[in-house]
């Protein structure tokens, strides 16, 4: 997408050099060739696509619901709404599910570039409007596992939310032929903030425990008073650095991923982030560089 050159990318190399070129719009394909996370491909491609000179369409292949990364549904149901606050957006279409170890998932995203990202103030959460989500199984796994995960999630959220609506379903074999189970939870606030959590079924772990852990993770975010969850927290750093003006985000405990993202943003963009403890949460602040996409005319 940025016509880059890469040096030193070989087995045993201890150093690589990445030299970006000029951004271009158009159609692209990225294939992990494994069950590698499609959500992570979305994370790295979106900033470039949003500041490209023309619309961008990207076909992504790999794992749609992978461990150690947000499930692709989270990207569309949580991350997208937080990106909207910066003035960016994308469409996401899941064409086929891909799970570990085979992969084979296919997702298409389409992005309309913006001239400049706007600073955000995400410090007022408002009241919890409700929690909704999806509990699924695929392949030969029984639907009862999805019901157990949903019940576990409700146990984890007990006494914090009376309105919990979790859809339980089995993926169509034409969409997802391989075995997998998982749950995605989304909490909506009256302020427009959205927080989430998710979990994947694992061998040796009871489905009810998978759901309970996802519910307790969301409960922790809701009780902390934070406006963003730990999964979206680090993803916002690059947009805060590029935006025009001062951004403030109320987060919970600062994750290692966020600390790393801040270090990279400060090194490359020469911005300065501050983290101010405030009770059970932290305020992340940054005055962005106000990057202008000169390929687009002023509004």
């Amino acid at each position: 997408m940025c016509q880059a050159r890469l040096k030193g990318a070989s087995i045993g190399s201890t150093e690589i050099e990445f030299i970006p070129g000029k951004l271009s719009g158009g159609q692209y394909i990225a294939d992990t060739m494994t069950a590698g996370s499609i959500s992570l491909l979305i994370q790295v491609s979106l900033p470039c696509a949003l500041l490209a000179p023309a619309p961008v369409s990207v076909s992504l292949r790999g794992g749609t619901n992978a461990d150690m990364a947000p499930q692709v549904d989270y990207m569309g149901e949580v991350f997208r709404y937080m990106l909207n606050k910066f003035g960016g957006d994308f469409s996401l279409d899941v064409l086929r599910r891909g799970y570990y170890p085979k992969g084979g998932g296919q997702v298409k995203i389409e992005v309309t570039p913006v001239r400049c990202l706007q600073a955000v103030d995400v410090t007022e959460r408002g009241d919890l409007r409700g929690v909704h989500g999806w509990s699924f199984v695929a392949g030969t796994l029984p639907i009862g596992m999805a019901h157990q995960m949903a019940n576990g999630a409700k146990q984890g959220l007990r006494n914090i939310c009376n309105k919990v609506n979790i859809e339980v379903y089995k993926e169509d074999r034409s969409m997802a032929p391989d075995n997998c189970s998982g749950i995605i939870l989304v909490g909506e606030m009256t302020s427009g903030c959205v927080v989430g959590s998710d979990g994947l079924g694992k061998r040796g772990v009871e489905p009810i425990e998978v759901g309970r852990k996802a519910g307790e993770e969301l409960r922790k975010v809701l009780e902390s008073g934070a406006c963003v969850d730990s999964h979206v927290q680090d993803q916002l750093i690059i947009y805060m650095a590029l935006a025009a003006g001062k951004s403030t985000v109320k987060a919970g405990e600062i994750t290692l991923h966020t600390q790393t993202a801040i270090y990279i943003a400060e090194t490359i963009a020469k911005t300065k982030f501050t983290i101010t403890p405030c009770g059970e949460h932290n305020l992340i602040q940054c005055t962005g560089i106000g990057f202008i996409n000169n390929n687009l005319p002023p509004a």
Side-chain angles (χ1 to χ4, degrees), residues 14 17 84 93 101 114 118 135 144 147 154-155 165 200-201 212 224-225 228 244 246 260 269 280:
T14 58
E17 187 175 0
N84 289 166
D93 188 12
V114 298
Q118 62 194 32
S135 182
H147 284 285
K154 291 175 182 178
Q155 290 178 18
N165 181 24
L200 282 177
R212 182 182 291 118
S224 73
V228 298
K246 184 177 182 179
T260 303
E280 294 186 39

Side-chain angles (χ1 to χ4, degrees), residues 93-155:
D93 188 12
V94 179
L95 305 176
R96 182 183 172 89
R97 296 280 176 176
Y99 309 127
Y100 178 84
K102 293 182 179 179
Q106 298 180 24
V107 172
K108 183 177 182 179
I109 64 169
E110 295 188 347
V111 185
T112 299
V114 298
R115 179 170 170 81
C116 184
L117 294 165
Q118 62 194 32
V120 300
D121 184 341
V122 188
T123 56
E124 297 298 327
R125 197 175 73 174
D127 298 322
L128 177 61
R129 182 174 288 153
V131 173
H132 67 276
W134 304 264
S135 182
F136 72 91
V137 294
T140 61
L141 299 182
I143 188 68
M145 293 177 64
H147 284 285
Q148 291 177 51
M149 286 187 292
N151 290 336
K154 291 175 182 178
Q155 290 178 18

Side-chain angles (χ1 to χ4, degrees), residues 6-16:
L6 185 63
K7 296 180 180 179
S10 59
I11 296 176
S13 173
T14 58
E15 182 177 293
I16 62 171

Side-chain angles (χ1 to χ4, degrees), residues 6-228:
L6 185 63
K7 296 180 180 179
S10 59
I11 296 176
S13 173
T14 58
E15 182 177 293
I16 62 171
E17 187 175 0
F18 182 83
I19 305 116
K22 185 177 180 181
L23 277 174
S24 300
Q27 298 183 348
Y28 298 90
I29 296 175
D31 191 344
T32 67
M33 303 292 204
T34 66
S37 173
I38 285 177
S39 294
L40 298 186
L41 293 178
I42 294 174
Q43 286 184 27
V44 299
S45 60
L46 265 178
C48 292
L50 284 167
L51 296 170
V56 173
S57 177
V58 188
S59 178
L60 304 171
R61 299 173 184 174
T64 54
N65 304 72
D67 203 8
M68 304 296 290
Q71 297 184 51
V72 74
D73 311 82
Y74 174 94
M75 300 301 292
E77 296 295 329
V78 179
F79 170 75
R80 182 186 171 207
Y81 287 96
M82 300 310 295
L83 180 63
N84 289 166
K85 294 181 180 297
F86 290 90
D89 200 4
F90 63 96
S91 66
L92 187 154
D93 188 12
V94 179
L95 305 176
R96 182 183 172 89
R97 296 280 176 176
Y99 309 127
Y100 178 84
K102 293 182 179 179
Q106 298 180 24
V107 172
K108 183 177 182 179
I109 64 169
E110 295 188 347
V111 185
T112 299
V114 298
R115 179 170 170 81
C116 184
L117 294 165
Q118 62 194 32
V120 300
D121 184 341
V122 188
T123 56
E124 297 298 327
R125 197 175 73 174
D127 298 322
L128 177 61
R129 182 174 288 153
V131 173
H132 67 276
W134 304 264
S135 182
F136 72 91
V137 294
T140 61
L141 299 182
I143 188 68
M145 293 177 64
H147 284 285
Q148 291 177 51
M149 286 187 292
N151 290 336
K154 291 175 182 178
Q155 290 178 18
L157 290 165
R158 185 173 295 165
N159 299 328
I160 198 169
C161 181
N162 295 322
K163 187 178 179 182
V164 180
N165 181 24
I166 302 175
E167 179 185 355
V168 175
Y169 67 98
K170 182 166 185 172
E171 290 280 6
D172 188 276
R173 290 298 292 267
S174 63
M175 169 68 79
D178 300 317
N179 288 356
C180 188
S181 63
I183 187 167
I184 301 97
L185 300 174
V186 180
E188 293 186 67
M189 310 299 170
T190 54
S191 66
C193 289
V194 180
V195 295
S197 66
D198 61 12
L200 282 177
K202 296 181 180 179
R203 191 182 300 273
V205 180
E206 291 296 325
I208 194 169
E209 290 302 319
V210 174
R212 182 182 291 118
K213 184 177 179 181
E216 289 175 348
E217 182 181 334
L218 183 58
R219 180 193 189 96
K220 183 178 178 181
V221 177
L222 295 172
E223 290 180 337
S224 73
C227 295
V228 298

Side-chain angles (χ1 to χ4, degrees), residues 213-272:
K213 184 177 179 181
E216 289 175 348
E217 182 181 334
L218 183 58
R219 180 193 189 96
K220 183 178 178 181
V221 177
L222 295 172
E223 290 180 337
S224 73
C227 295
V228 298
D229 60 60
S230 60
H231 299 300
V232 85
Q233 184 189 114
D234 60 283
Q235 296 185 60
L236 302 184
I237 298 302
I238 187 171
Y239 300 101
M240 294 173 70
L242 291 170
K246 184 177 182 179
S247 292
T248 304
V249 175
K250 183 192 288 185
E253 181 180 351
I254 303 300
T255 66
L256 183 57
H257 281 177
T258 298
Q259 294 176 42
T260 303
I262 287 174
Y263 174 80
I264 298 298
E266 290 183 335
T267 301
I268 296 177
K270 308 304 179 185
T271 55
K272 178 62 178 176

